[in-house]
Amino acid sequence: MSTSPQTAALTQAVTQEAMQSFAHATDPRLAQVMALLVKHLHAFVAESKLSKEEWLRGLDFLNACAAITTEERNEFSLFSDIMGISSMVDVVSQPEGGTPSSVLGPFHNHDSLLRDNGVDLTNGQPGERVWFHGRVVDTHGQPIANAHIDFWQNADNGLYPAQDPEQDPQNLRCKIVCDAEGGFNLLTIRPHPYTVPTDGPVGALLAASQRNIWRPAHYHLIVSAPGYVGLVTELFPKGSDYIDNDTVFGVRPGLIVPFVPCSNSAVAQRFGLEAPFLEMTYEFQLVKQD
Ligand SMILES: [Fe+2]
């Protein structure tokens, strides 16, 4: 079905008028962003020839997202994730040159305790032991002394503490300060794939679209240091299920890291481990602030 010249002229006029309506916003960035949003949303409506029924269905979907959203659960954030918008924002807002960023996800907790560099986070719980260590450096490979790391992951049952009343709220999460050479290390367990929440309108959309609902296993990290752009990222164990089909599109090639069998006797003795255990090594590169 082609568009007649009259309809094309009308849609262009409506788009121009709606874009112009934001031109006098007190914040110039608001004017720019809203004009572009109008431009692209109008183009979507025109190209898809959206029917009134489809438009109403879209509004119903947004209303359903609002109805299920609480302090602990944000369906709009999940919608952004499964549309790839959260990942797009990560990609376009992160400066080039450092470690790639990835999605923050819904389970970050600002209240993680500051623990010693070299902390054992396992506390006798099930899970394959992983000695995770590395350095934080600048884009020239020079160590960043005393960089901060905020780390969190899910337990052996695939759940985060916020989803599992059996877990201590501080389980498998910590903040640590790197040493003078940017070095860090900790003992943790292998993370596991998990599904995004599927009991809301986003879950219904994923089901109707016959889409995967799983995320590959990952560690979450926020790496920061004064004078450098903060990094929100994830590390994905090489070979994890769903690594080629992350439902929130968070995997980047530079963030896939192998688990290597390790028999370092000093590490085994320090943490009371039986060798071999797993080892993951990573060097985070931070970009200097302008
Ligand atoms: Fe996660």
Side-chain angles (χ1 to χ4, degrees):
M1 189 168 58
S2 61
T3 303
S4 70
Q6 291 89 339
T7 301
L10 264 177
T11 58
Q12 279 171 20
V14 172
T15 300
Q16 281 302 320
E17 208 175 331
M19 287 175 71
Q20 279 296 321
S21 72
F22 288 100
H24 304 295
T26 49
D27 178 349
R29 177 64 176 163
L30 177 67
Q32 181 190 28
V33 168
M34 291 310 297
L36 281 169
L37 186 62
V38 163
K39 176 182 167 183
H40 291 279
L41 284 177
H42 283 219
F44 153 70
V45 171
E47 188 176 343
S48 64
K49 295 192 166 52
L50 204 68
S51 71
K52 285 183 180 165
E53 291 74 22
E54 290 165 336
W55 171 71
L56 283 171
R57 229 172 135 180
L59 295 186
D60 286 345
F61 176 86
L62 295 177
N63 281 327
C65 287
I68 203 168
T69 290
T70 63
E71 284 274 308
E72 288 79 34
R73 188 240 176 98
N74 189 330
E75 195 76 356
F76 292 103
S77 174
L78 179 60
F79 183 40
S80 165
D81 291 349
I82 66 103
M83 291 295 286
I85 302 297
S86 309
S87 260
M88 283 291 287
V89 173
D90 283 334
V91 170
V92 302
S93 63
Q94 185 70 16
E96 290 183 9
T99 295
S101 64
S102 185
V103 295
L104 177 69
F107 298 113
H108 177 246
N109 187 333
H110 291 281
D111 300 330
S112 286
L113 296 176
L114 182 65
R115 308 291 300 273
D116 289 336
N117 193 358
V119 64
D120 178 354
L121 296 176
T122 61
N123 293 319
Q125 67 196 289
E128 276 184 88
R129 270 39 183 173
V130 177
W131 180 41
F132 174 43
H133 63 109
R135 288 201 312 163
V136 180
V137 300
D138 66 16
T139 50
H140 303 291
Q142 295 301 308
I144 300 174
N146 307 320
H148 283 234
I149 289 183
D150 188 340
F151 171 89
W152 68 108
Q153 68 164 99
N154 62 359
D156 205 46
N157 62 3
L159 299 175
Y160 287 86
Q163 303 169 292
D164 182 3
E166 299 296 313
Q167 285 183 51
D168 184 300
Q170 293 287 340
N171 193 36
L172 296 172
R173 61 173 69 245
C174 67
K175 292 175 182 168
I176 54 178
V177 179
C178 297
D179 62 26
E181 295 302 310
F184 66 90
N185 83 101
L186 56 85
L187 186 73
T188 189
I189 63 169
R190 177 196 282 275
H192 293 277
Y194 61 88
T195 67
V196 296
T198 54
D199 56 341
V202 171
L205 174 63
L206 291 171
S209 311
Q210 300 197 76
R211 269 186 53 177
N212 167 47
I213 58 173
W214 288 83
R215 296 213 63 209
H218 53 268
Y219 293 130
H220 288 279
L221 296 120
I222 299 175
V223 185
S224 59
Y228 293 86
V229 179
L231 172 69
V232 177
T233 194
E234 302 175 285
L235 295 181
F236 301 88
K238 189 176 178 185
S240 170
D241 289 341
Y242 311 106
I243 205 156
D244 296 323
N245 190 16
D246 181 2
T247 194
V248 306
F249 313 103
V251 181
R252 321 265 176 261
L255 300 177
I256 300 172
V257 189
F259 280 138
V260 178
C262 178
S263 297
N264 183 316
S265 56
V267 174
Q269 190 172 17
R270 175 151 65 96
F271 291 117
L273 299 175
E274 274 186 36
F277 45 90
L278 298 176
E279 177 180 15
M280 179 184 274
T281 313
Y282 198 79
E283 193 164 85
F284 295 97
Q285 283 197 322
L286 300 188
V287 177
K288 269 217 163 83
Q289 271 169 351
D290 289 336

